[in-house]
Amino acid sequence: MAMKSAVLRFEGKPEELVLIELQSTAYMEDGSKVTDQELGTLELKGGSVVLTNGPRSLYGSLQELKSPLVLMERTGQEEQLAGEARAALLRARGVIRRKVVFNQRPQLSV
């Protein structure tokens, strides 16, 4: 079985990203897909984080990851390696060193 290779490239300084971990189910009230929708306003308040959407607030905490992650995307391009080998070219979008964890139910503000 042939092993596939990949080349990972950063263009400039990598963007610092934060992973958002929702330990619940997110859905839109009108039934539309969550993809590409705005989930609300994210605010850092001291050591806690608040995600607010209308009258609902979701409270979480900011945590450091044990090991950083790299967010990559396929470019659809290939690069020639030594000999006849070719490798998929991947673009690094950013580095994730922290995550926000939401593990409670949303609170209703009136």
Side-chain angles (χ1 to χ4, degrees), residues 57-77:
S57 295
L58 190 57
Y59 296 91
S61 61
L62 186 63
Q63 301 175 4
E64 296 290 323
L65 294 178
K66 291 178 185 174
S67 300
L69 302 172
V70 175
L71 180 63
M72 299 177 283
E73 73 176 333
R74 293 183 179 133
T75 63
Q77 299 173 347

Side-chain angles (χ1 to χ4, degrees), residues 58-105:
L58 190 57
Y59 296 91
S61 61
L62 186 63
Q63 301 175 4
E64 296 290 323
L65 294 178
K66 291 178 185 174
S67 300
L69 302 172
V70 175
L71 180 63
M72 299 177 283
E73 73 176 333
R74 293 183 179 133
T75 63
Q77 299 173 347
E78 290 186 347
E79 187 168 294
Q80 185 72 39
L81 297 178
E84 294 184 22
R86 296 188 67 72
L89 184 59
L90 304 174
R91 179 179 299 121
R93 297 293 304 251
V95 176
I96 303 169
R97 291 187 174 89
R98 299 178 296 168
K99 70 177 179 177
V100 176
V101 178
F102 295 103
N103 54 12
Q104 301 174 11
R105 296 182 73 135

Side-chain angles (χ1 to χ4, degrees), residues 31-64:
S32 62
K33 292 184 179 185
V34 176
T35 305
D36 294 328
Q37 297 286 335
E38 187 174 308
L39 291 178
T41 303
L42 191 65
E43 295 180 81
L44 180 62
K45 295 183 177 183
S48 64
V49 181
V50 181
L51 178 64
T52 306
N53 185 325
R56 295 175 195 87
S57 295
L58 190 57
Y59 296 91
S61 61
L62 186 63
Q63 301 175 4
E64 296 290 323

